[in-house]
Amino acid sequence: MTGDPGFARLSAALACALRAAGAPEGFSPGLERPRDPSHGDWASNAALVLAGRLGQPPRKLAERICELLDASAAGLDAIEVAGPGFLNFRLADDSIWPRLGGILEADRGWGRSPATPPLRVNVEFVSANPTGPLHVAHGRGAALGDAVASLLEWVGHEVTREFYVNDAGRQIQLLAESVEARHEEMAGRPAAVPEGGYHGEYVRGVAAAIRDAAGAESLASLSTEDRLTRFQSEAVRLLREEQAEDLSRFGVEMDVFYSEQSLYDSGAIGRLLERLEARGLTYREDGATWLRTSDLGDEKDRVLIKSDGSFTYFLPDLAYHLDKARRGFDVAIDVWGADHQGHEKRMLAALRGLSYPDLLQVLIIQLVTIMRDGKEVRMSKRAGRFVTLGELVDETGPDVARYFFLMRRAEVHLNFDLDLALDTSEANPVYKIQYAHARMCSVFRKAGLDPADVPAGGGVPEGFGTAAERDVALAILRLPEIVAAAAESRAPHVVCAYLEETAGFVNAWYHQGNLDPGLRILADVPERSARIGLARAVQITLRNGLRALGLSAPETLSREPAVAVGPQP
């Protein structure tokens, strides 16, 4: 569950007491954090689980375990039996304060851990059609994919961030025809965007950029077919570059942009069909080619090639994932929108049939609604039908946008509250965390100290630690445990909740000096050195926690005037 040495010490001592009480060999103590801190630092339901097996009342068994537990070896100050037989544990000071030095020694490595075994992981996310600017739902996928990739790196895996470019198919032809229509309009000739085409103002901008680069006369000299080919290739290139730039401003750098067209050009799809046929997984019916996914766990068979000879989306996507396996990835994590939810089962079934049952993991993100003054912001100034990611980042900044996308579970609909996002007080959760970090940095500036010079082995005076200081210490010691849990469950929101809670403890500790000057971090009292050491441990923890999510940890906070998203009243 955790690499926390305090946890390991308690777990070993509790396991010893459980064996002495009659627990079978290999029984796990089952330690967890109580929801209510007043119940202690750790809790166990071991007595409740064991009571039936041992034929004893749970509470009586819990009391017996307390008698058998070596509190000193466990690093405990107190043990309590609660309710029907829960065991609550409170750690002793010598299980807390000496461990803070480990945070200072680890510094930028605090929160990281080695993987056993380390895996090669491909995280594919965003993967938008290169037919327009990225919108806010793409932003949610970008934030989630990048944070999951980062967390996996923090726990020792080798990660590749990948964008699958859907640069083949009818939507790319429609883009070219839409650009052609806007080009004709600019030349003063009547034209209409094709049915199903792209109407946003950005299409006119793409047409103008291509005309300016090539020259109006050069384009006019081309046949309609050659001009459409030019518009198609140039529009895809320009929009891909814009998408990459928007992601970069959002703090996301892709390692690989993988072209769907390359699957056709390389013959990968033909080889896949031969492989499926050789395994007896395909058949022909009503002029179409089907995959026997119903034999592999799906509710029905799926079409690979339609009766008109065109491929379904399923076929190239399956070839793409086989190429991930060919490239040596142990795990492929895909971040998909809610409209792809039905695609997951068929992909997993097909990969089982091809002997890759454990390759694919899918994370589904739900839609995002941008809210201002309690009302939905529906329109973009540039894209028309949706709010672009670029506009959102311009207004909120990348840190706020990323955090708001990450702070809720991906599988639930997100209402993105612009009013809260633009609030620079501690009511805004990301500012609450960053303010806590900046406050610790201000301590070192006021003290004239370089944080890196704070000694890891600073002593702690006898009796050190107010309740607020103890809360802070216990919170920051949990970072490796939290990062590991979030990486394992692919759940960055777990880190967000932890950082908000920790920042609350830190801000309460910082503010207690306003009520009692002797409790200030830099007060000239015997506890000063220990408090500075605690402040340094806090600064490291908040900085590393933010960076594990792909966010910055500013030493001071300031804000530029915002540019409004969407049409304004």
Side-chain angles (χ1 to χ4, degrees), residues 112 121-125 142-162 252-255 333 335 363 402 487 490 492 548-549:
R112 294 186 182 273
V121 183
N122 179 292
V123 183
E124 181 221 324
F125 55 105
L144 177 67
D146 195 50
V148 167
S150 177
L151 290 168
L152 289 168
E153 289 170 333
W154 274 70
V155 297
H157 298 297
E158 179 188 340
V159 181
T160 295
R161 294 163 171 81
E162 187 155 307
V252 175
E253 300 293 340
M254 293 291 181
D255 300 308
I333 299 173
V335 179
L363 305 179
R402 283 177 68 112
R490 322 301 193 222
L549 294 175

Side-chain angles (χ1 to χ4, degrees), residues 112-448:
R112 294 186 182 273
S113 58
T116 309
L119 302 175
R120 290 195 65 214
V121 183
N122 179 292
V123 183
E124 181 221 324
F125 55 105
V126 184
S127 297
N129 293 340
T131 54
L134 300 178
H135 52 66
V136 292
H138 293 133
R140 190 177 193 186
L144 177 67
D146 195 50
V148 167
S150 177
L151 290 168
L152 289 168
E153 289 170 333
W154 274 70
V155 297
H157 298 297
E158 179 188 340
V159 181
T160 295
R161 294 163 171 81
E162 187 155 307
F163 186 123
Y164 180 57
V165 183
N166 299 113
D167 55 358
R170 177 58 182 154
Q171 78 276 4
I172 301 300
Q173 296 171 1
L174 286 169
L175 173 65
E177 292 167 11
S178 301
V179 173
E180 162 80 356
R182 294 309 186 197
H183 172 264
E184 290 298 287
E185 284 181 355
M186 288 187 295
R189 294 184 287 271
V193 173
E195 184 179 353
Y198 300 92
H199 293 264
E201 187 62 26
Y202 70 89
V203 180
R204 193 182 304 277
V206 168
I210 296 172
R211 179 199 59 189
D212 293 345
E217 292 183 5
S218 174
L219 289 175
S221 67
L222 297 175
S223 67
T224 301
E225 183 179 350
D226 287 345
R227 191 164 60 245
L228 280 171
T229 299
R230 172 74 68 87
F231 283 149
Q232 178 173 310
S233 62
E234 286 299 297
V236 167
R237 180 184 63 82
L238 289 169
L239 289 167
R240 274 187 57 188
E241 289 175 355
E242 179 182 322
Q243 289 175 347
E245 182 180 345
D246 282 347
L247 288 173
S248 184
R249 289 198 302 120
F250 193 47
V252 175
E253 300 293 340
M254 293 291 181
D255 300 308
V256 175
F257 284 86
Y258 190 105
S259 164
E260 178 187 355
Q261 185 62 45
S262 71
L263 293 169
Y264 297 86
D265 297 340
S266 68
I269 293 177
R271 290 192 297 273
L272 169 60
L273 284 168
E274 290 173 1
R275 188 170 174 181
L276 293 170
E277 289 169 8
R279 292 188 173 219
L281 294 174
T282 61
Y283 64 93
R284 297 272 297 174
E285 185 176 289
D286 298 329
T289 300
W290 296 71
L291 186 64
R292 300 181 190 278
T293 41
S294 61
D295 294 342
L296 301 166
D298 198 3
E299 62 264 19
K300 62 181 181 180
D301 293 344
R302 305 290 179 174
V303 176
L304 294 174
I305 305 176
K306 301 175 189 177
S307 57
D308 64 4
S310 63
F311 297 156
T312 63
Y313 176 80
F314 185 22
L315 182 58
D317 201 34
L318 185 54
Y320 170 48
H321 284 79
L322 284 186
D323 191 66
K324 292 182 183 182
R326 181 192 63 79
R327 285 183 277 155
F329 292 108
D330 301 298
V331 179
I333 299 173
D334 289 5
V335 179
W336 293 350
D339 56 335
H340 282 64
Q341 192 154 3
H343 187 54
E344 178 181 2
K345 199 167 184 179
R346 71 193 69 168
M347 282 294 296
L348 293 172
L351 289 168
R352 276 194 295 273
L354 291 164
S355 303
Y356 294 104
D358 302 317
L359 176 68
L360 177 62
Q361 298 176 12
V362 177
L363 305 179
I364 299 292
I365 56 166
Q366 292 296 331
L367 296 177
V368 179
T369 301
I370 304 296
M371 306 293 292
R372 187 197 300 276
D373 298 327
K375 298 177 182 178
E376 182 179 351
V377 178
R378 293 180 177 273
M379 301 287 285
S380 161
K381 297 174 184 176
R382 180 165 173 262
R385 289 174 292 177
F386 53 82
V387 175
T388 70
L389 175 61
E391 289 172 322
L392 183 67
V393 172
D394 285 341
E395 180 156 8
T396 67
D399 280 347
V400 172
R402 283 177 68 112
Y403 190 91
F404 273 55
F405 284 137
L406 293 174
M407 68 181 181
R408 300 286 180 264
R409 290 184 298 112
E411 60 269 27
V412 300
H413 183 95
L414 175 66
N415 284 333
F416 191 113
D417 185 345
L418 273 175
D419 299 309
L420 180 59
L422 296 174
D423 187 339
T424 55
S425 75
E426 290 181 28
N428 181 330
V430 67
Y431 278 108
K432 175 182 176 180
I433 299 162
Q434 290 180 326
Y435 273 129
H437 175 267
R439 281 176 175 137
M440 298 302 102
C441 295
S442 74
V443 167
F444 306 126
R445 288 195 297 272
K446 290 174 185 174

Side-chain angles (χ1 to χ4, degrees), residues 432-518:
K432 175 182 176 180
I433 299 162
Q434 290 180 326
Y435 273 129
H437 175 267
R439 281 176 175 137
M440 298 302 102
C441 295
S442 74
V443 167
F444 306 126
R445 288 195 297 272
K446 290 174 185 174
L449 279 172
D450 183 336
D453 292 337
V454 177
V460 175
E462 186 71 27
F464 173 73
T466 64
E469 287 162 343
R470 193 175 188 280
D471 287 342
V472 168
L474 287 171
I476 61 177
L477 286 167
R478 294 182 61 198
L479 180 65
E481 164 198 340
I482 294 296
V483 170
E488 177 66 24
S489 58
R490 322 301 193 222
H493 72 275
V494 169
V495 181
C496 294
Y498 162 77
L499 289 174
E500 287 181 47
E501 180 183 50
T502 301
F505 289 137
V506 171
N507 291 332
W509 171 49
Y510 183 85
H511 288 307
Q512 74 176 0
N514 296 333
L515 302 175
D516 183 345

Side-chain angles (χ1 to χ4, degrees), residues 82-102:
F86 289 102
L87 291 163
N88 292 336
F89 308 103
R90 182 177 175 84
L91 296 175
D93 286 350
D94 67 359
S95 292
I96 301 172
W97 305 118
R99 290 161 53 204
L100 296 182

